[in-house]
Amino acid sequence: MILVTGGTGLVGAHLLLQLTANESEIRAIYRNEKNIRKTQSLFQLYNKEDQFHKIRWMQGDIIEVPSLEKAFQGVTHVYHCAAQISFDPKDENKLRKINIEGTANIVNFCLDFNVSKLCHVSSIAALGDLKPGETTITEATEWNPEHYHSDYAISKYGAEMEIWRGQQEGLNVVIVNPGVIFGTGFWQQGSGLFFSAIQKGFPFYTNGSTGYVGVTDVVLIMIQLMTSDIVGERFVVIAENLSFKDIIFQIAEKLGAKKPKWEAKPWMLAIGWRLDWLLASIFNRKRRLSKYSTQSLLSSDKIANAKIKNALNFEFQRIESVVDEVVRSLQK
């Protein structure tokens, strides 16, 4: 029996789409029943609704221990996709609660129920920090606690520490660290909001860069790692490093939307996040721009993907092709 946490999110839903094509016993945790319909809509989009009915949905929450007891009965393999994503400093406690404590709970149940293997979805945000003279971030790049990190990055790094604790206690584990994930569906969250915003008109761009990957590649790698003999390893999962300017222009062109006209300079972003903080404080709304997110928009650190390509002989789908698929789906 396979258990999937976060099955109503982008990665979890696409993972279920792949797993149900071959596996017969799939269990997925949900918190709110209406969220299941988002996953069902994805199956309908691919005309795979017959596969959707293979999933045994169980109500549960990774931060509510009693709700996990029943979910783990008979489980042999766990894909832990559930996480909180936010760059709003107000969400610090929620991020630590869900991402660190929630992952600790999953690890503990895996140990208690003698689960054969756990695959954890982390993030490139949990990777290390470049030292002077270094140019490329890899799985071996060391985390510098003195370096400034977002609350989200700290929570994902803390979650990985719980995974490694599980390994030390005898649990077989693998970790994937995806970059920005593009995929169909889920337009009101994650990278789906990125496409929606560009469609409406995005006035600014920066020349910073980061790593991108298609969601199908992420879940295929997870499945291959889970069925392999590989344990006790983490893998960066990105297809390409691209500048924010290039990716925004590419998406805008394919959507037939207006391309940004102005480059957001560092001084403009510095004013922007402070103004956003002020408005969020006055009107009690969520932050749209933080100090960390502005630094990320200006960063040009390169991220390597050689380890996963060599381990699985894996070839990533080009991001341009992924964007084509997402845009076609969005336009429908």
Side-chain angles (χ1 to χ4, degrees), residues 10-281:
L10 177 65
V11 174
H14 280 267
L15 175 62
L16 289 170
L17 187 67
Q18 293 292 331
L19 288 174
T20 52
N22 300 302
E23 302 289 345
S24 57
E25 293 188 301
I26 310 291
R27 186 179 293 162
I29 296 174
Y30 73 93
R31 287 188 300 164
N32 190 319
E33 192 167 353
K34 70 178 183 180
N35 291 336
I36 298 177
R37 290 196 286 271
K38 293 188 294 184
T39 301
Q40 187 173 14
S41 296
L42 180 70
F43 278 72
Q44 291 170 340
L45 181 65
Y46 286 97
N47 297 314
K48 302 290 185 181
E49 195 161 11
D50 57 324
Q51 292 180 201
F52 177 79
H53 296 297
K54 290 184 179 181
I55 305 168
R56 293 176 57 189
W57 291 95
M58 299 189 69
Q59 190 165 20
D61 192 321
I62 63 172
I63 60 173
E64 294 179 3
V65 171
S67 71
L68 296 176
E69 186 82 28
K70 190 175 179 180
F72 269 84
Q73 296 290 335
V75 168
T76 59
H77 294 77
V78 176
Y79 292 91
H80 181 37
C81 308
Q84 177 75 19
I85 302 175
S86 174
F87 295 96
D88 187 338
K90 292 181 180 179
D91 290 333
E92 178 185 1
N93 291 334
K94 185 186 294 186
L95 286 164
R96 291 176 181 269
K97 182 79 173 177
I98 296 173
N99 294 349
I100 301 177
E101 184 178 321
T103 299
N105 291 337
I106 294 298
V107 168
N108 292 338
F109 272 93
C110 285
L111 290 166
D112 290 344
F113 283 81
N114 295 315
V115 167
S116 298
K117 197 170 185 178
L118 167 64
C119 177
H120 171 63
V121 181
S122 185
S123 167
I124 56 172
L127 297 175
D129 307 290
L130 292 176
K131 297 177 181 177
E134 294 180 336
T135 58
T136 305
I137 296 175
T138 71
E139 294 84 352
T141 304
E142 293 183 11
W143 176 276
N144 181 359
E146 301 300 321
H147 193 276
Y148 177 76
H149 301 95
S150 69
D151 294 320
Y152 171 69
I154 293 170
S155 73
K156 294 301 285 184
Y157 179 77
E160 288 195 18
M161 294 303 100
E162 293 296 335
I163 299 296
W164 298 132
R165 172 183 64 83
Q167 181 196 350
Q168 291 174 350
E169 295 180 26
L171 179 63
N172 290 325
V173 303
V174 287
I175 297 175
V176 292
N177 296 80
V180 177
I181 304 172
F182 287 162
T184 56
F186 301 89
W187 307 117
Q188 302 307 314
Q189 62 192 70
S191 62
L193 288 171
F194 188 54
F195 280 79
S196 301
I198 294 173
Q199 187 176 44
K200 294 174 183 176
F202 216 66
F204 297 100
Y205 67 87
T206 74
N207 285 308
S209 65
T210 192
Y212 298 86
V213 64
V215 68
T216 300
D217 280 346
V218 175
V219 300
L220 288 177
I221 285 172
M222 291 167 63
I223 293 170
Q224 289 185 42
L225 286 173
M226 189 68 102
T227 56
S228 73
D229 295 329
I230 299 171
V231 295
E233 298 283 353
R234 74 200 291 229
F235 295 92
V236 170
V237 178
I238 66 161
E240 299 175 61
N241 290 277
L242 295 169
S243 72
F244 294 109
K245 177 182 179 180
D246 287 344
I247 197 69
I248 292 171
F249 275 45
Q250 185 181 136
I251 294 172
E253 182 175 344
K254 293 182 184 298
L255 284 170
K258 289 184 179 180
K259 296 179 181 178
K261 291 183 178 180
W262 301 287
E263 179 185 355
K265 302 291 186 179
W267 64 268
M268 296 169 64
L269 291 170
I271 294 174
W273 76 257
R274 289 174 171 85
L275 180 61
D276 184 70
W277 170 82
L278 180 61
L279 293 174
S281 301

